[in-house]
Amino acid sequence: MSTAILTSASIGRAEQFSTRVAFFIAGFGGAVWAALVPFAKTRAGLEAGGLGLLLLAFGIGSIIAMPLAGALAGKYGCRRVLIASSLMVCVALPALATVSSAPLLAAALFILGAGVGSVDCVINIQAVIVERAAGKALMSGFHGLFSVGGIVGAAGCAGLLSLGASPVTVSLVAAVFTAAMLIWAAPHFLGFGGDTSGPAFALPRGVVLFIGVLCFIVFLTEGAILDWSAVFLTFTRGADPAHAGFGYAAFATTMTIGRLSGDAIVRRVSRTTIILVGGLLAASGLLVATLVPSVLAAMVGFAMIGAGCSNIVPVLYSAIGKQTLMPESVAVPAVTTLGYAGILMGPAAIGFVAHVASLPTAFMIISVFLIGVAASGRFLKV
């Protein structure tokens, strides 16, 4: 019998609260770095190509750290890994606001990626355990706090910078705020990391691989909107570049609202229905954006994509908690790594398709993948 099963009776509201805080920290840390990118580029004297290579350090750090974080959580518990990973975020942010050489920036960004990726991975392990112990849907709300953390991080940094604060000051405020949130939540992080009867590392297989592929597609969609929506609006729809960011804002807003209301929705309709309707809504959004030649239609389409995708990934993580093929301390890192691969690889693949054919064609291909996600829900035990 796993440690998680033995101690699940002691999991309550405090553990649910700590789970939400850790999701917030993961979203917040990534958003703070996004606000610091232009300053780092200028300080290091990087061109676009050099910046692109630098940004890879974040993804590499995340993907390398995730399986290791899952193994450490299984051995030492979620609490220790979450504390260590959050402290990595606190250390990396000020470094990213001060160092000026590209190698040092890459090293700091690698640490930040490893920290954020580890928190994201391990808190999903904790979320699976906490939701299972509660016996009710909680996953969408947990993931919603990641989105809230991103909004707070982006808006807070923008506000401080607009008031004249330096990047160093902003990063220090963010680090202190993250540390305060960590102190608040850490006592209620789980002291165990799920079933440890399996191997520390394993390639996803069976239903876990299936869930991972579905997460890959949804994360690929999110990465496409993040990296290409402004380009699409500017160069395909002729929008003013100053307004192009509203496309991603529409997507992020409906995704956040969808996740914060998702648990109530899951309690009223089946998780299979959420995957079906969500996948079809997101695919329809891409079709509206690409087939209707209007800036407004594209904005509406991006909002539909956010609403459709919002609860698919949380439902898929809940499915990980129901499968018995692999322990969650191994399955969650495997699925999370595949998801991050979608965010990292997807935009590059879209760029290739856009070069060979067109950006609307690339979006149409993603819509076909999303229809596949919609049809796949009935094969999962969710």
Side-chain angles (χ1 to χ4, degrees):
M1 186 178 294
S2 74
T3 306
I5 295 174
L6 288 171
T7 59
S8 61
S10 64
I11 298 174
R13 292 184 178 275
E15 288 71 28
Q16 294 173 23
F17 164 79
S18 73
T19 304
R20 293 185 177 95
V21 172
F23 270 107
F24 180 96
I25 288 173
F28 180 81
V32 172
W33 161 237
L36 296 175
V37 170
F39 299 96
K41 179 180 183 297
T42 301
R43 199 168 57 250
L46 295 172
E47 299 296 333
L51 179 62
L53 290 174
L54 174 68
L55 294 176
L56 283 176
F58 183 95
I60 293 171
S62 297
I63 287 179
I64 290 176
M66 284 175 182
L68 178 60
L72 291 174
K75 184 174 182 179
Y76 298 109
C78 294
R79 181 184 299 120
R80 293 183 180 181
V81 181
L82 286 171
I83 291 174
S85 302
S86 299
L87 290 176
M88 290 171 65
V89 174
C90 294
V91 170
L93 287 175
L96 288 167
T98 53
V99 298
S100 57
S101 73
L104 289 177
L105 276 171
L109 192 53
F110 180 92
I111 293 171
L112 179 68
V116 171
S118 296
V119 172
D120 196 4
C121 172
V122 175
I123 200 54
N124 272 295
I125 295 175
Q126 176 166 312
V128 167
I129 298 169
V130 169
E131 183 184 58
R132 186 166 56 221
K136 62 181 180 180
L138 296 171
M139 194 66 71
S140 291
F142 289 156
H143 280 251
L145 265 293
F146 181 97
S147 299
V148 172
I151 292 170
V152 172
C157 289
L160 289 174
L161 290 168
S162 66
L163 292 173
S166 69
V168 175
T169 299
V170 170
S171 68
L172 289 174
V173 170
V176 171
F177 179 72
T178 300
M181 297 290 286
L182 177 63
I183 292 170
W184 194 13
H188 305 295
F189 291 150
L190 299 184
F192 55 91
D195 189 350
T196 57
S197 59
F201 301 96
L203 293 174
R205 62 184 188 277
V207 67
V208 177
L209 178 60
F210 186 52
I211 293 170
V213 170
L214 298 183
C215 280
F216 177 91
I217 294 171
V218 178
F219 278 119
L220 183 153
T221 304
E222 293 184 23
I225 303 305
L226 174 63
D227 288 349
W228 289 99
S229 60
V231 175
F232 177 83
L233 286 171
T234 302
F235 294 100
T236 303
R237 292 290 176 258
D240 186 329
H243 300 152
F246 287 123
Y248 181 73
F251 168 85
T253 298
T254 54
M255 171 165 280
T256 302
I257 294 171
R259 285 184 169 173
L260 292 178
S261 59
D263 292 333
I265 296 172
V266 170
R267 291 165 195 158
R268 288 172 172 78
V269 302
S270 71
R271 288 178 168 90
T272 301
T273 300
I274 292 211
I275 295 175
L276 172 63
V277 175
L280 292 178
L281 181 60
S284 299
L286 277 167
L287 293 176
V288 168
T290 54
L291 296 180
V292 181
S294 160
V295 173
L296 179 60
M299 297 284 194
V300 172
F302 293 146
M304 292 170 63
I305 298 165
C309 289
S310 61
N311 289 306
I312 296 177
V313 168
V315 164
L316 292 174
Y317 273 101
S318 293
I320 297 174
K322 297 178 182 295
Q323 59 83 34
T324 57
L325 182 63
M326 299 173 69
E328 55 261 21
S329 62
V330 178
V332 169
V335 169
T336 306
T337 302
L338 275 172
Y340 265 63
I343 291 178
L344 295 172
M345 296 169 54
I350 290 168
F352 175 77
V353 174
H355 176 72
V356 174
S358 67
L359 187 51
T361 299
F363 281 178
M364 294 282 283
I365 293 172
I366 297 175
S367 72
V368 174
F369 290 159
L370 287 169
I371 292 172
V373 170
S376 298
R378 61 193 181 95
F379 298 110
L380 287 175
K381 181 182 177 182
V382 293

